Amino acid sequence: MTSVFAQEPHRALVNGVPWFDDQGQIVNAHGACVVEEEGKYYLFGEFKTDSTNHFIGFSCYSSSDLVHWKFERLALPKQEEGLLGPGRIGERAKVMRCPQSGEYIMLMHCDDLQYKDPYIGYAVSKTINGEYSFQGPLLYQGKPIKKWDMGTFQDHDGQGYLLVHHGDIYRLSADYKEAEEKVASQISGVGESPAMFKKEGVYYLLSSSLTSWERNDNHYHTASSIAGPWKKQGLFCPAGSLTYNSQCSFVFPIVQQQDTVLMYMGDRWSYPKQGQAATQVWLPLETISERLQIPSYLPSWDPLANESRVISQRSNSIPARKPFVSNRRGEKIEFLFKGGRFYIKGTSDRHGGYGRIVIADKKDRVLHQVMVDFYSKVSDDGIRFVSPSLPKGKYKVTVEVSGEQGLWYKKDGTRFGSDDYYVRVDEIGYVD
């Protein structure tokens, strides 16, 4: 549909809420990475839906400021057959530019729907935002690497590496199209979703514990060489914060004139509604010697300036009202809006369900609707939604209890997710 939404010129990355692209559609890129090319940033990730975990494609977006995103294309769509064909899963797309060939190499996890047929696959493209050509499995010693959760790392000298769950690290060939050497094996204490960066001669390896789609306290290791020895250091976020309700995916170095800002990129998964309700958490990392930390959670910030940004103030709220709290399907709160952008603050906790937010014009035509997740294992009071910009005019916004909840089970039958359907809205206001 043609969007009436526009993007604001100011830079404020808001964590844990749906982001919208230049057409007013949700930025759909999960398990993501960012690549910088000639002053522009490219975001690659899983294009999810709310109805199936089947592979749809890996998306590509571009941005000049890491906040406002333009949809480029499905960089790698579903294949007609094979490892990324019908009835398959594709996850954790990571892209690197190969210094030797100039090609862009995408590595990913391929699997069946039961996660019992894992492969590391790869695809290539001549241009960063072109359509990537799937090449099949990545080989090591002539055999496919049959692993699942993965990441990549490109060292300062251009050497590429494949990172695999539970601490396997492979050095890639000069053309990045096969694994030449396993430089580290089963590093003790390394879990899922590995991510790596290097600063001042120290390698940092981040990973999460194994709790399915649930969040947990992620941890990190350090070493002076990728081959090790690796030392487990502990957590890089406050204990019990569950890594600010996220799972690590990538660390992107934002190179500035004076310094390099290390940006943690994490996923706030929301099973089963991953397409609409899963969100991103991007935060600046700090290192002191071998110590790594994200000292505090920034609800909104400017990544290029590395400064916190306040986007909402109670004095700017639309008019004050009592909190809306309900777990009754169909119960809702409505308010009128005059254009610009608005925010919704609320509480997520283990009793939360999905809230349906609908934006309609004065003729009750629905312009946009999105599911917002009010579930989190650790209670969180904060911004749950920020709208795209709307032209001046009259709009009606509805927040409705959907009567649905995030709920899933591990293979062994362990239950995860919400125990109720609550939606709680504490404040609604204009974005400054």
Side-chain angles (χ1 to χ4, degrees):
M1 68 178 179
T2 301
S3 173
V4 299
F5 301 141
Q7 293 186 316
E8 289 289 294
H10 62 271
R11 293 200 306 255
L13 184 159
V14 185
N15 279 309
V17 304
W19 297 342
F20 296 90
D21 66 16
D22 59 324
Q23 296 300 310
Q25 302 300 310
I26 289 176
V27 174
N28 196 335
H30 307 280
C33 74
V34 168
V35 180
E36 183 179 4
E37 181 76 9
E38 297 181 352
K40 186 176 285 189
Y41 303 99
Y42 293 87
L43 171 67
F44 296 88
E46 304 163 27
F47 191 93
K48 293 289 195 181
T49 73
D50 294 341
S51 59
T52 178
N53 201 33
H54 292 210
F55 178 66
I56 304 298
F58 294 125
S59 51
C60 174
Y61 295 82
S62 63
S63 173
S64 61
D65 59 11
L66 295 167
V67 174
H68 303 102
W69 294 98
K70 173 187 175 183
F71 179 69
E72 294 283 342
R73 63 166 67 231
L74 280 183
L76 181 61
K78 181 175 70 175
Q79 306 294 288
E80 293 184 0
E81 59 184 6
L83 297 183
L84 289 178
R88 298 287 295 183
I89 288 170
E91 297 179 335
R92 302 202 179 277
K94 301 293 183 287
V95 173
M96 298 182 290
R97 183 182 183 274
C98 176
Q100 182 199 65
S101 66
E103 288 184 305
Y104 295 88
I105 310 297
M106 176 189 290
L107 300 181
M108 77 290 292
H109 162 220
C110 314
D111 219 322
D112 64 15
L113 298 180
Q114 290 75 41
Y115 289 91
K116 293 182 178 179
D117 188 34
Y119 286 85
I120 303 300
Y122 78 102
V124 300
S125 175
K126 295 294 184 183
T127 58
I128 190 168
N129 60 347
E131 184 168 320
Y132 285 67
S133 174
F134 186 63
Q135 303 296 300
L138 188 76
L139 302 183
Y140 173 60
Q141 296 181 342
K143 298 179 181 179
I145 300 175
K146 290 184 64 63
K147 299 288 186 177
W148 36 284
D149 242 16
M150 48 74 63
T152 60
F153 170 67
Q154 190 173 46
D155 211 340
H156 296 167
D157 61 2
Q159 178 62 60
Y161 294 89
L162 167 69
L163 318 173
V164 180
H165 60 92
H166 294 132
D168 286 354
I169 303 176
Y170 296 85
R171 179 172 55 81
L172 300 177
S173 59
D175 63 4
Y176 287 12
K177 295 180 180 179
E178 63 178 326
E180 279 195 338
E181 180 186 3
K182 183 185 284 190
V183 297
S185 179
Q186 297 184 340
I187 301 168
S188 179
V190 173
E192 293 185 311
S193 60
M196 185 185 290
F197 70 92
K198 180 183 181 181
K199 186 173 182 182
E200 297 176 350
V202 178
Y203 294 92
Y204 296 79
L205 176 59
L206 287 61
S207 64
S208 74
S209 299
L210 280 68
T211 52
S212 185
W213 298 110
E214 187 61 270
R215 305 130 197 182
N216 55 63
D217 286 328
N218 293 187
H219 45 266
Y220 75 104
H221 292 63
T222 59
S224 58
S225 165
I226 291 182
W230 287 89
K231 179 180 179 181
K232 186 171 183 178
Q233 297 285 4
L235 309 181
F236 56 90
C237 291
S241 71
L242 307 189
T243 322
Y244 300 119
N245 278 319
S246 72
Q247 180 192 41
C248 63
S249 176
F250 195 69
V251 176
F252 176 66
I254 307 171
V255 180
Q256 307 283 29
Q257 290 183 347
Q258 302 298 325
D259 194 13
T260 296
V261 177
L262 296 164
M263 186 173 74
Y264 164 88
M265 297 172 56
D267 286 282
R268 192 170 281 181
W269 300 107
S270 181
Y271 191 85
K273 298 193 180 300
Q274 306 279 37
Q276 296 184 68
T279 59
Q280 309 271 3
V281 175
W282 294 2
L283 292 166
L285 288 157
E286 293 182 2
T287 60
I288 303 174
S289 184
E290 292 190 356
R291 183 185 177 193
L292 175 67
Q293 64 174 353
I294 302 177
S296 62
Y297 180 75
L298 301 179
S300 54
W301 65 300
D302 180 346
L304 297 189
N306 192 18
E307 295 177 348
S308 178
R309 292 281 188 265
V310 177
I311 68 163
S312 62
Q313 298 183 25
R314 187 171 294 275
S315 61
N316 204 19
S317 60
I318 311 171
R321 61 181 73 221
K322 294 181 179 179
F324 169 78
V325 184
S326 175
N327 65 346
R328 295 175 59 187
R329 181 193 298 268
E331 195 162 7
K332 58 190 175 183
I333 179 175
E334 295 181 344
F335 63 94
L336 298 179
F337 181 65
K338 296 180 180 179
R341 298 174 78 197
F342 67 88
Y343 67 86
I344 296 174
K345 284 187 175 180
T347 299
S348 64
D349 58 27
R350 59 189 179 89
H351 311 302
Y354 288 109
R356 181 181 292 106
I357 297 177
V358 179
I359 304 173
D361 64 14
K362 60 184 178 181
K363 295 182 179 180
D364 278 336
R365 291 177 299 194
V366 174
L367 303 176
H368 204 78
Q369 62 178 318
V370 62
M371 288 287 206
V372 171
D373 196 352
F374 284 81
Y375 165 77
S376 60
K377 186 177 179 181
V378 173
S379 181
D380 176 64
D381 301 324
I383 297 175
R384 304 267 78 85
F385 180 79
V386 177
S387 75
S389 289
L390 293 141
K392 290 183 179 180
K394 294 182 179 180
Y395 303 92
K396 182 175 71 174
V397 179
T398 304
V399 184
E400 179 183 357
V401 179
S402 72
E404 299 179 75
Q405 62 184 181
L407 176 63
W408 66 98
Y409 296 86
K410 285 180 67 173
K411 295 176 182 177
D412 62 4
T414 303
R415 183 189 190 278
F416 288 93
S418 177
D419 61 13
D420 214 318
Y421 305 95
Y422 275 96
V423 170
R424 178 179 178 120
V425 175
D426 298 311
E427 182 183 331
I428 299 165
Y430 288 99
V431 173
D432 293 332

